Amino acid sequence: MTANVKERRGHCLCGAITVTAANAGNGVGACHCGMCRRWGGGPYMEINCGSDVQIDGEENLSVFDSSKWAERGFCSNCGTHLFYRIKETGQHMMPVGLFDNDDELVFRSQVFIDEKPSFYRFANETEDLTGAEIFAKYGSS
Ligand SMILES: [Zn+2]
Ligand SMILES: [Zn+2]
């Protein structure tokens, strides 16, 4: 996951908020959990941007306290989702769609695969983890 880290810049749909992630990975993950699907209408397609993230246009940033361990940011003007952030570490998982597409991006993993509804399924070969496997791997709280 640490290979191919680089700076990525992105912005929301209306342009009020720009984001700069100094150490963004190239691995794309999808989260199928019920919260992400309710938030965005479908699986959350994200890249790990670490904790070194600069957000410009903060007056338009809204942050929703979505659980004990994480919060979710979005543009209050256009509604674009900007991040899922783990409170303890400051780690940002940011929607891949914020950033310009590039050929280095690889769809690598799917999490909460056990919460994925049956009406869709990605054909990509990825590492798939259930909720229980995630908590076992990264620790729960
Ligand atoms: Zn916006
Ligand atoms: Zn999720």
Side-chain angles (χ1 to χ4, degrees), residues 100-132:
D100 290 335
N101 198 16
D102 83 41
D103 292 339
E104 293 174 14
L105 293 169
V106 180
F107 186 21
R108 193 168 285 154
S109 62
Q110 300 182 59
V111 298
F112 288 96
I113 196 74
D114 51 322
E115 292 191 29
K116 183 187 73 58
S118 59
F119 69 83
Y120 69 83
R121 178 162 53 88
F122 292 121
N124 305 63
E125 288 201 15
T126 56
E127 181 192 16
D128 298 345
L129 297 172
T130 65

Side-chain angles (χ1 to χ4, degrees), residues 12-17 60 75-80:
C12 68
L13 188 58
C14 77
I17 294 180
N60 289 296
C75 174
S76 54
N77 187 51
C78 70
T80 298

Side-chain angles (χ1 to χ4, degrees), residues 8-39:
R8 291 184 188 274
R9 294 167 187 272
H11 60 84
C12 68
L13 188 58
C14 77
I17 294 180
T18 58
V19 297
T20 306
N23 302 302
N26 74 321
V28 178
C31 183
H32 301 286
C33 85
M35 289 178 69
C36 283
R37 287 185 294 103
R38 189 170 297 276
W39 193 38

Side-chain angles (χ1 to χ4, degrees), residues 33-66:
C33 85
M35 289 178 69
C36 283
R37 287 185 294 103
R38 189 170 297 276
W39 193 38
Y44 186 47
M45 305 289 293
E46 44 75 19
I47 53 178
N48 183 353
C49 291
S51 56
D52 189 354
V53 172
Q54 184 186 327
I55 295 174
D56 293 306
E58 276 197 42
E59 63 275 15
N60 289 296
L61 173 66
S62 288
V63 178
F64 175 65
D65 191 30
S66 59

